[in-house]
């Protein structure tokens, strides 16, 4: 599998995703309800918490509202600063504090953020932690999410505890909080405090994607491809990458186009039975056996040779195709086996039959991926 830049770093995908899908900030004062992204190019652990705690929210759907004028979906997808603004902070601080003191779990979670930011109250990290813990202990998913962020950052008088953060995020996600699901997705991809688990990442990425959290249709689409090792479903991947594109994600558009091209070209036996002559400067002398998209811009090419089944991975961000003769196709750039990357893979069809030439024609069209895939030159 291609090792993309930084894919094993702590919080890798969360940080990269936040840098990759910067979007327009929606002005609440203008009354625009829609997708927004409070993402930045890079952030420290403290910056991560502030980003997660005080970023923007996804699409708001008209539903029955509670005493705070909030629907169930609002509590699932909105972030603390927008909730406070909806409730009328800083002016509403005393009213919400009174509700918290009377046992309103959602008010407890909201007032925790007010103590963090000083929105209508004097900043007090200890009180912020106390109210967040009370909201979580009351079983409120938003409160569990808010408390998890304290453990991500080691603020409010607690040490960094990613295991506890993950436990709380799981409770919040399973309780329907889509923002918690988005963070949990990145925990499982980055291996924060535990082993990488793409299957669990896919489970929570879907929850976030269905709630229209920006970037997670794209993420869930990728998690359905072999390169991430979760359940493989090319059609599901393409569907969600297209949804990502429709939501305005440029990477989603490129990924959807590249995957669609691969799926169309590799359908059937297009990449089966062709003769591979050389890889780099070495002789291969094998026939192609199969091919499928490893990722939108990586093709897995299997070959049958002496009873074994080695495979090549073609990185289209660095590879083009060139026809040197009617019966010869050259992949030039970066063709990988394990950790060994070489610059050329040559397919030579000795039989020269029409069917074989047609297959080479089809594979040559894969060279279009090089221009489509430049957006992924530094990784997904």
């Amino acid at each position: 599998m291609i090792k993309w830049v930084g894919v094993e770093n702590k919080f890798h995908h969360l940080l990269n995703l936040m840098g990759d899908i910067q979007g327009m900030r929606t002005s609440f004062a203008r009354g625009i309800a829609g997708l927004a992204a409070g993402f930045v190019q890079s952030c420290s652990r403290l910056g991560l918490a502030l980003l997660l705690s005080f970023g923007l929210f996804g699409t708001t759907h008209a539903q029955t509202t509670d005493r705070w004028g909030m629907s169930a979906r609002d509590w699932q997808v909105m972030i603390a600063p927008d909730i406070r603004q909806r409730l009328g902070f800083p002016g509403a601080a005393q009213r919400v504090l009174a509700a918290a003191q009377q046992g309103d779990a959602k008010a407890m979670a909201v007032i925790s953020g007010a103590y963090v930011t000083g929105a209508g109250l004097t900043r007090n990290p200890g009180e912020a932690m106390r109210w967040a813990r009370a909201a979580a202990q009351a079983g409120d998913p938003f409160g569990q999410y808010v408390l998890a962020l304290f453990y991500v950052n080691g603020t409010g008088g607690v040490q960094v505890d990613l295991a506890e953060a993950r436990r709380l995020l799981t409770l919040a996600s399973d309780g329907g909080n889509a923002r918690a699901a988005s963070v949990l997705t990145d925990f499982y991809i980055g291996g924060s405090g535990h082993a990488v688990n793409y299957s669990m990442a896919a489970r929570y990425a879907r929850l976030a994607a269905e709630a229209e959290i920006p970037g997670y249709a794209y993420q869930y689409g990728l998690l359905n491809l072999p390169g991430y090792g979760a359940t493989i479903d090319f059609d599901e991947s393409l569907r969600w990458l297209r949804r990502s594109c429709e939501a305005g994600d440029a990477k989603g558009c490129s990924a959807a186009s590249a995957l669609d091209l691969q799926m169309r070209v590799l359908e059937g036996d297009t990449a089966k039975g062709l003769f591979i002559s050389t890889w780099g400067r070495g002789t291969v002398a094998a026939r192609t056996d199969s091919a499928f998209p490893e990722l939108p811009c990586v093709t897995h090419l299997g070959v049958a040779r002496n009873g074994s089944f080695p495979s090549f991975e073609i990185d289209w961000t660095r590879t083009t195709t060139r026809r040197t003769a009617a019966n010869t196709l050259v992949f030039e750039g970066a063709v990988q086996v394990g950790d060994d990357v070489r610059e050329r893979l040559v397919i030579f069809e000795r039989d020269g039959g029409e069917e074989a030439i047609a297959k080479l024609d089809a594979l040559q069209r894969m060279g279009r991926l090089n221009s489509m895939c430049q957006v992924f030159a530094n990784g997904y």
Side-chain angles (χ1 to χ4, degrees):
M1 174 181 165
I2 297 290
K3 295 296 184 182
W4 294 103
V5 175
V7 74
E8 295 174 346
N9 290 345
K10 185 177 180 181
F11 297 126
H12 150 73
H13 190 79
L14 183 58
L15 300 181
N16 280 354
L17 182 62
M18 289 174 179
D20 290 340
I21 57 173
Q22 296 180 44
M24 293 187 299
R25 276 191 176 271
T26 301
S27 171
F28 182 88
R30 289 197 299 265
I32 300 175
L35 296 173
F39 296 135
V40 293
Q41 194 68 25
S42 61
C43 54
S44 63
R45 189 156 53 193
L46 177 59
L48 174 61
L50 294 175
L51 177 64
L52 296 172
S53 299
F54 310 124
L56 297 178
F57 58 91
T59 307
T60 301
H61 293 219
Q63 295 181 15
T64 302
T65 57
D66 59 16
R67 64 182 290 191
W68 305 110
M70 299 276 290
S71 70
R73 179 181 172 80
D74 292 335
W75 289 110
Q76 293 169 355
V77 302
M78 289 177 66
I79 303 298
D82 306 288
I83 292 175
R84 290 195 300 274
Q85 193 168 25
R86 175 80 67 85
L87 270 57
F89 277 75
Q94 293 302 321
R95 179 169 64 92
V96 176
L97 177 59
Q101 292 168 337
Q102 293 167 8
D104 186 317
K106 287 184 166 41
M108 295 174 188
V110 174
I111 211 66
S112 172
Y115 274 117
V116 168
T117 62
L121 298 169
T122 302
R123 292 175 186 267
N124 189 325
E127 280 295 282
M129 181 65 184
R130 182 173 77 86
W131 284 115
R133 182 177 282 120
Q137 290 174 344
D140 181 68
F142 179 66
Q144 292 161 345
Y145 168 58
V146 169
L147 181 60
L149 300 181
F150 283 87
Y151 287 102
V152 169
N153 292 283
T155 54
V158 299
Q159 298 296 314
V160 171
D161 188 339
L162 298 182
E164 178 64 5
R166 187 174 72 253
R167 184 187 74 83
L168 289 162
L169 290 168
T170 300
L171 289 173
S173 299
D174 292 346
N177 189 279
R179 289 291 178 173
S182 71
V183 180
L184 197 54
T185 297
D186 297 294
F187 265 51
Y188 280 114
I189 288 174
S192 302
H194 58 88
V196 171
N197 188 325
Y198 291 132
S199 294
M200 292 299 289
R203 171 184 174 182
Y204 289 106
R206 174 152 194 161
L207 293 176
E210 289 176 338
E212 301 176 18
I213 303 299
Y216 285 86
Y218 170 76
Q219 180 60 35
Y220 179 62
L222 293 183
L223 285 165
N224 278 276
L225 293 174
Y228 274 101
T231 301
I232 299 171
D233 189 330
F234 295 110
D235 290 332
E236 179 80 343
S237 176
L238 184 57
R239 183 166 75 89
W240 283 95
L241 290 174
R242 283 173 170 164
R243 284 186 62 170
S244 172
C245 180
E246 291 165 2
D249 185 345
K251 277 199 168 182
C253 295
S254 295
S257 296
L259 179 60
D260 180 59
L261 176 59
Q262 284 207 66
M263 290 172 65
R264 285 188 287 107
V265 170
L266 300 177
E267 185 178 14
D269 292 332
T270 301
K272 188 170 184 178
L274 299 170
F275 184 77
I276 298 178
S277 60
T278 58
W279 172 49
R281 296 183 180 180
T283 300
V284 178
R287 289 215 175 256
T288 58
D289 180 71
S290 62
F292 56 82
E294 181 87 5
L295 288 168
C297 292
V298 178
T299 299
H300 175 105
L301 181 64
V303 301
R305 179 185 181 189
N306 298 327
S308 64
F309 295 89
S311 61
F312 299 92
E313 290 178 336
I314 302 169
D315 175 3
W316 293 108
T317 67
R318 296 184 287 166
T319 303
T320 58
T321 58
R322 182 168 61 92
R323 201 69 163 267
T324 58
N327 64 343
T328 306
L329 178 64
V330 181
F331 297 88
E332 292 182 312
V335 181
Q336 181 169 338
V337 175
D339 294 328
D340 190 356
V341 182
R342 301 185 187 180
E343 73 282 0
R344 283 164 56 91
L345 184 71
V346 180
I347 297 180
F348 170 70
E349 187 42 59
R350 295 177 295 186
D351 300 334
E354 290 185 5
E355 181 180 355
I357 297 301
K359 289 182 178 181
L360 291 177
D361 290 342
L363 290 177
Q364 185 177 5
R365 293 199 299 272
M366 299 276 279
R368 294 167 49 198
L369 289 167
N370 180 256
S371 59
M372 291 182 185
C373 293
Q374 289 311 301
V375 68
F376 302 111
N378 292 318
Y380 284 84

